[in-house]
Amino acid sequence: MNTVDPHTLTGAYALGALPEHEAAQFTRHLARCPACDLEVRELQETAARLALAVAEVPPAGLRTRVLAALPEVGQLPPIPHRATVVPLRPRARRRPRLPYLAAAACLALAMTAGGLAVHAQHEADQQRDRSTRAEQRAAALSALLAAPDATFHTTALKGGGSGTVVVSEQQGRTAFVYHGLPKLPGARVYQLWYSREGGMVPAGLVETGAAGGAVLLTGTPRGADGVGVTAEPRGGSSRPTSPPLALVPV
C-alpha cells in the first residue's frame, strides 16, 4: 500500500483479494475518498450479479428421468456358446421351480440396476462437466473484474434493459454484464459484436431467456473501438441483420 496507488486497488478490495493488513489500510482510505467508495460498491454489486449468472444447480428432474428410464432398460442377450448334450436321467420326483425363478428374477433385477447405474453415471458426468465450465467462467470473470486496467462502460439498450461492457487489455478479455433485457420475439437472440475499423466481428450470444447475467466475449478486445449488441436469428449471424440495440465505445 505504501508504494501502490490506492485508487488502483478497488477491484481487489471488492473481491476480498487484499491481505488483511492492506485491506485495513484501504478501508481507512475509503473513509476519505468518495470516488473509491462508490467504485467499490459498484464492483461488489457487479460481482454479485456475475456470481448469480454463472451459478448452476443439479437439474431438478434428474431423479424423475432416471426412474422413467427404468422400464426401457432391458436385459442383455445371452452370449452364444456351443451346447453340451447331457443325457437325462429319470428323477424320483420333480423339484420345485421356485428357486430357479427367484434366481432369474434376481438376475433381471441386477441387469436393470446396472443399466440404471450407467444412466445415472452419465447424468452425473454431464453435470460435473457443466459445473467445471461454470467454475472456469466464474474464475475468468473474477480475474477480469480485479484487473488493474479494467474499465466499465454502461449504456441503455433500445427496447429495454441495460448493459455494462468490462474491458481489460492486460487480460485480453471483455465481458458483457446485462440486466433487465426483455425477451425477444420469435426465435431471435441477443448477439454481441466487436466493432473494428468500421466492421462488426461476431463475439458471442447472450443466453436466451435470461433477463440478467454476464457473458465473456469471444476474441480479444485489442484493436476494437466498441462493442455492439443486436437482435439476430437463433444461432447468431455472421454479420448484423438489424440495426444495433446498443453500440458501446471502449
Side-chain angles (χ1 to χ4, degrees), residues 10-244:
T10 53
Y13 180 85
L15 295 176
L18 289 178
E20 184 176 351
H21 68 283
E22 292 187 10
Q25 295 180 37
F26 191 81
T27 300
R28 291 192 293 271
H29 169 75
L30 290 180
R32 58 180 183 274
C33 182
C36 284
D37 182 70
L38 175 61
E39 185 171 353
V40 164
R41 285 188 282 110
E42 291 176 342
L43 289 176
Q44 289 174 335
E45 293 175 359
T46 301
R49 292 179 184 174
L50 293 178
L52 291 175
V54 300
E56 294 190 20
V57 297
L62 175 59
R63 182 176 182 273
T64 302
R65 292 198 301 273
V66 170
L67 294 178
L70 184 61
E72 302 176 3
V73 179
Q75 182 175 341
L76 294 175
I79 300 175
H81 62 280
R82 184 171 299 176
T84 302
V85 179
V86 179
L88 296 178
R89 297 180 180 179
R91 296 180 180 176
R93 62 176 180 172
R94 188 174 183 180
R95 295 182 181 178
R97 299 181 61 199
L98 184 58
Y100 300 98
L101 293 176
C106 291
L107 178 60
L109 180 60
M111 296 300 298
T112 299
L116 183 61
V118 170
H119 183 82
Q121 182 63 43
H122 179 66
E123 291 277 356
D125 290 341
Q126 288 185 328
Q127 179 60 32
R128 189 180 302 108
D129 291 341
R130 288 193 293 267
S131 298
T132 299
R133 291 194 296 270
E135 291 174 359
Q136 292 172 345
R137 289 196 301 269
L141 288 168
S142 297
L144 175 57
L145 284 174
D149 68 329
T151 58
F152 298 76
H153 315 269
T154 302
T155 188
L157 276 70
K158 296 178 182 177
S162 63
T164 298
V165 176
V166 186
V167 183
S168 169
E169 290 285 350
Q170 292 182 7
Q171 295 281 336
R173 287 192 175 108
T174 305
F176 179 68
V177 183
Y178 52 95
H179 179 70
L181 296 187
K183 184 177 180 180
L184 293 172
R188 300 180 73 79
V189 296
Y190 292 97
Q191 184 165 355
L192 304 172
W193 308 83
Y194 278 122
S195 172
R196 287 194 179 98
E197 300 178 354
M200 303 295 281
V201 180
L205 303 175
V206 175
E207 181 181 354
T208 304
V215 59
L216 283 169
L217 276 66
T218 58
T220 174
R222 189 167 293 108
D225 52 42
V227 170
V229 185
T230 62
E232 301 297 332
R234 184 183 299 275
S237 305
S238 59
R239 60 173 61 96
T241 62
S242 63

Side-chain angles (χ1 to χ4, degrees), residues 1-6 8-9 22 25:
M1 281 285 290
N2 296 330
T3 59
V4 177
D5 182 359
T8 64
L9 300 178
E22 292 187 10
Q25 295 180 37

